[in-house]
Each structure stands twice: as structure tokens, then as C-alpha cells.
Amino acid sequence: MGAQGPRILVVDGNVAKVRERQRQQTGYDSGEGYARVLRRLDPGVVADIVRPADSEVGLAAGVALGDYDGVAITGSALNIYDGGPGVERQVTLAQAVFEAGVPLFGSCWGLQVAVTAAGGSVHRNPKGREFGFARRIQLTEAGRAHALYAGKPHVFEAPTVHLDAIDALPAGATVLAHNDMSLQAAEFTYLRGTFWGVQYHPEYDPIDIAAVAERYGMRLVDERIFDSEAQLQSFTADLRRLQADPQDPVLAWKFGLGAGITDVGTRRVELHNWLNQQVIPRVRART
């Protein structure tokens, strides 16, 4: 693969219908958005995107999984326990990544896929949906010492949207963060591979949460996330303001936001650390 920068495979977890709606709202889908963020963190990143929710995974000619320096799995509107080919292909791909020994990172759905691939399980969270900002995420003792969280506050908020949660972790996994809603981060090794993952979305900007709110619409009112459609619309308007000015003091006070949301660098710490601690060493080893 020559002397190029990190080559990362981005696994877009969503089906075509959802991805098209994402593009209409923001100009990019979940895979493209993830790749953009990785390139912002490291301009040398070369990202290939696959979409196994729709079809069999086909890598570029002459490229094998083991040629990648890292693999990242995005969020998704799918549910693991529903099964079906689009889910099974993603779990199978994660197992292949572990077998190839390539560092794996997952956001939300990505965490759930990796846990399932390694023998754990996922269920519908009995506490309901966590939406918008995950509150009071706390690092465990292991999390405070882990390279994933170097430079992160020990308690923070993060962009989030998930109805499902980890029910059981794979053998030997370590919980790195949690809050009142669910497990929020874990790391484990499986076969030849290492996984770092979070239940929230360090790759998201406020505009991405606004787009999800608009796609879900009245479902969020029915679930009592919002009292009314007007309140939902007010929330999305606030997120667009936050996109324009992440440190807006009025919105930071209104929503009780700290650096985990208002400082872009702090929000992306987990991805930054994964790149530098897991991916870059693999690049150096092959050069």
C-alpha cells in the first residue's frame, strides 16, 4: 500500500433508504460523514466505504481486509436482534476483521455489532431511548487509565441516539464508561483483533443530531422524549444554532453542556486516540 497515510475501511451500517435521507438533509450519509471526520483528524487518511446493510461486501481490487490499518463501524437505524441478511453481513464482516487482526472501532451500532461478533449480546434498553445528549457519562477506573480516554473529562456529555444497549459483553471485555442509561464504552480483544467502542457518537456534530430528530419526527414525541412537535422543532433549531456556535453560552447553560459537546476537539478525543494509539502504529509497522 506504499507510503500513503492510514488506510481505513469505514463500514456504513445503514440501509440505502436511510442513507439517501441523510444526504438530503446534510449532504452526506453516515459512512461519508464518518470518513470526513477521520480526515479532519488526520488529513492523510485514505477511507474506503462499504455498505453491507444492502449487499455483499466488495473491497477494491487487490485489497484484503488485512491491508487496512483500521476499520470503523458507523451508527445505524437497524436493530441487531431483528436479524436478517443486512445485519448478519455486518456481524460476519466484524468477525473477519477480528480474524485479520485489524484495529476495530465502533460508534453506537458499531459497538453492538462488534460485541455480537465476539459472542456478547444486545437488547432493547428497558430504560428507553437515549437521545440528543448522553448525560453524566462517567469513566470507570479502567477508563480513566485507558488510552481511549486520554484528554477526556472523567464525566462528560456526548451526542447520542440509541434505543438498544449492551446486554452482555464478550468474555474478558472491560467496561470503560457508563451512565444512568447504559454501558457507554468498552474494549476487548477477540481472535487476533482489538476493539475499542462507544455507545454514543464522537463523530457527530450538532447538525447530525438535528437531522436524526427530523427523520424520527413524531416518534420522539410518542416516546415522550419531547412533549410536543413544537418542542421537537425548538430543539432542532437550538442544535442548528449550536452547530453555528458550539460554545454558545446560552445553549450551553440551557442544556447543561460541558466540553464534551461544546469543544470539538474534546468531543472527538476517542477517535483521535484510536487513530494515534491503534491505527498509526500499524502504519509505521508497514513502512
Side-chain angles (χ1 to χ4, degrees):
M1 298 174 67
Q4 67 180 13
R7 187 164 189 174
I8 296 176
L9 184 67
V10 175
V11 181
D12 190 324
N14 276 306
V15 299
K17 182 178 180 180
V18 172
R19 298 196 310 270
E20 179 56 31
R21 183 75 190 278
Q22 289 173 328
R23 290 192 193 98
Q24 291 171 359
Q25 291 177 295
T26 62
Y28 51 84
D29 63 24
S30 35
E32 294 159 353
Y34 217 106
R36 288 194 339 163
V37 168
L38 292 173
R39 286 192 292 265
R40 287 172 183 166
L41 291 169
D42 184 338
V45 163
V46 176
D48 298 334
I49 303 172
V50 292
R51 300 176 172 90
D54 293 321
S55 61
E56 295 295 333
V57 175
L59 302 180
V63 177
L65 271 178
D67 294 327
Y68 286 97
D69 301 306
V71 176
I73 307 177
T74 74
S76 176
L78 295 172
N79 305 96
I80 288 281
Y81 43 76
D82 287 339
V87 172
E88 293 164 5
R89 281 191 293 267
Q90 298 190 60
V91 173
T92 298
L93 176 57
Q95 290 170 334
V97 174
F98 284 126
E99 290 171 357
V102 180
L104 180 59
F105 187 92
S107 295
C108 194
W109 167 255
L111 169 67
Q112 296 167 14
V113 169
V115 163
T116 303
S121 60
V122 174
H123 66 165
R124 187 183 179 102
N125 193 340
K127 295 182 180 180
R129 186 184 301 278
E130 188 171 31
F131 185 82
F133 307 116
R135 306 289 184 171
R136 296 181 298 280
I137 298 176
Q138 300 181 48
L139 300 185
T140 63
E141 183 177 353
R144 292 192 293 274
H146 198 280
L148 175 66
Y149 282 115
K152 195 83 169 183
H154 291 177
V155 180
F156 59 94
E157 302 82 39
T160 197
V161 49
H162 68 107
L163 183 59
D164 299 334
I166 303 303
D167 183 37
L169 282 167
T174 301
V175 177
L176 302 179
H178 59 86
N179 70 354
D180 294 341
M181 289 295 290
S182 67
L183 177 148
Q184 293 289 340
E187 69 96 21
F188 57 86
T189 58
Y190 180 65
L191 301 176
R192 297 175 55 227
T194 299
F195 175 76
W196 294 4
V198 298
Q199 186 57 77
Y200 49 91
H201 288 275
E203 77 280 10
Y204 271 10
D205 287 323
I207 194 68
D208 297 303
I209 293 292
V212 176
E214 290 168 347
R215 287 199 304 276
Y216 284 18
M218 290 301 293
R219 186 192 319 177
L220 298 175
V221 177
D222 294 340
E223 293 177 3
R224 300 303 303 274
I225 303 294
F226 299 100
D227 287 333
S228 64
E229 185 175 11
Q231 188 183 66
L232 168 62
Q233 292 172 346
S234 175
F235 179 72
T236 60
D238 283 342
L239 286 174
R240 293 180 187 282
R241 282 179 57 195
L242 199 61
Q243 179 72 25
D245 181 5
Q247 297 185 333
D248 184 312
V250 174
L251 294 179
W253 181 88
K254 179 178 180 178
F255 294 111
L257 303 177
I261 297 291
T262 62
D263 182 80
V264 176
T266 303
R267 193 191 318 147
R268 307 264 200 254
V269 154
E270 297 87 337
L271 285 169
H272 173 273
N273 289 341
W274 177 68
L275 284 170
N276 283 278
Q277 298 298 323
Q278 293 278 290
V279 176
I280 297 301
R282 188 174 169 91
V283 176
R284 291 172 178 158
R286 65 173 167 78
T287 57

